[in-house]
Amino acid sequence: MSRQMGDSHRRFLQTMMVSGIVDEQEARTLYKHCCETHNTQCAPDKLDDFIDTINSKLQPMFMQIRKGMSEDSGQQYYALVNMSETEVTRMSSDYADNELELFRKTIELIMGAENGKASSTDILNSVDSMTTKKMKKSETEHLLNRLVHDKWLCEKRGEYTLSTRCIIEMEPYIREMYQDQVKVCHICHNIAFQQRKHR
C-alpha cells in the first residue's frame, strides 16, 4: 500500500488536531467523509492502515494518532498525541506552573487510590502542600472544571478520574513516574485504574 499522504489524510489530521480525541465510530465516519470528499477509495476495514499512513508522516514531528480504550465503557478511541515530551510540562503553554502542580498532585492522588478516583475534597486539601503559588478554593474549583472541559479529567459526583485522552497521551509519563503503583490489565495490557472486569 502506498504511504503517500493525500488530501483525505490531511483533512482527517486537521479534524484530529481540532478535536484531539474521537471515538472509533466518529473516526470511521470521519474516514469515510474524508475519502468521499476527496474521491479516494474507502475500505471500511482499512482505517488503521489509513491512520498508519498519517502516522508515518507525523513521526518526524514527534506526534502520533494513538488508539486507546475507555475504562468506563470499553469503547475504543483515537487521540492525537505529542510524543516529544512525556511529562505534564507539554501542557505548560495552556496552564500556569501552580495549575500544573495541582494537576500532578491530582494524578498522584488518583494513582494512590484503590479505585482510581480522587475526591474533590482531597484535591482541595492538597493545595496546602503546594510549593508554587497557593490557589484559593474558587481558583482550584475553576481549574478542575477547566481540566474536565479540556478532556484531561472526568468528574462524576465530586470524584475525579483521568480521562481516556489523558491516559492515552500521558501513559509513558504515568508508567515512568508511578512504576511501582501502575496496575496493568492482564487481558489487554493497558494501564488499569478502576480495576473493571472485561465483559
Side-chain angles (χ1 to χ4, degrees), residues 102-127 160 162 178 181 193:
L102 186 67
F103 182 56
R104 282 189 203 96
K105 287 184 174 296
T106 302
I107 293 175
E108 199 173 302
L109 288 168
I110 290 169
M111 290 303 301
E114 276 299 310
N115 63 357
K117 299 175 182 179
S119 72
S120 55
T121 306
D122 289 341
I123 296 168
L124 287 166
N125 288 339
S126 72
V127 170
Y160 291 84
L162 299 183
Y178 302 98
Q181 294 169 275
F193 291 90

Side-chain angles (χ1 to χ4, degrees), residues 109-159:
L109 288 168
I110 290 169
M111 290 303 301
E114 276 299 310
N115 63 357
K117 299 175 182 179
S119 72
S120 55
T121 306
D122 289 341
I123 296 168
L124 287 166
N125 288 339
S126 72
V127 170
D128 294 336
S129 64
M130 287 176 63
T131 57
T132 55
K133 183 183 166 206
K134 300 275 192 285
M135 297 173 74
K136 296 177 186 158
K137 182 183 177 200
S138 61
E139 292 172 321
T140 304
E141 288 169 344
H142 176 73
L143 174 62
L144 289 172
N145 288 335
R146 204 169 133 215
L147 288 165
V148 169
H149 178 268
D150 292 348
K151 301 176 186 167
W152 292 108
L153 295 176
C154 294
E155 186 270 335
K156 234 184 250 175
R157 294 185 293 280
E159 291 190 309

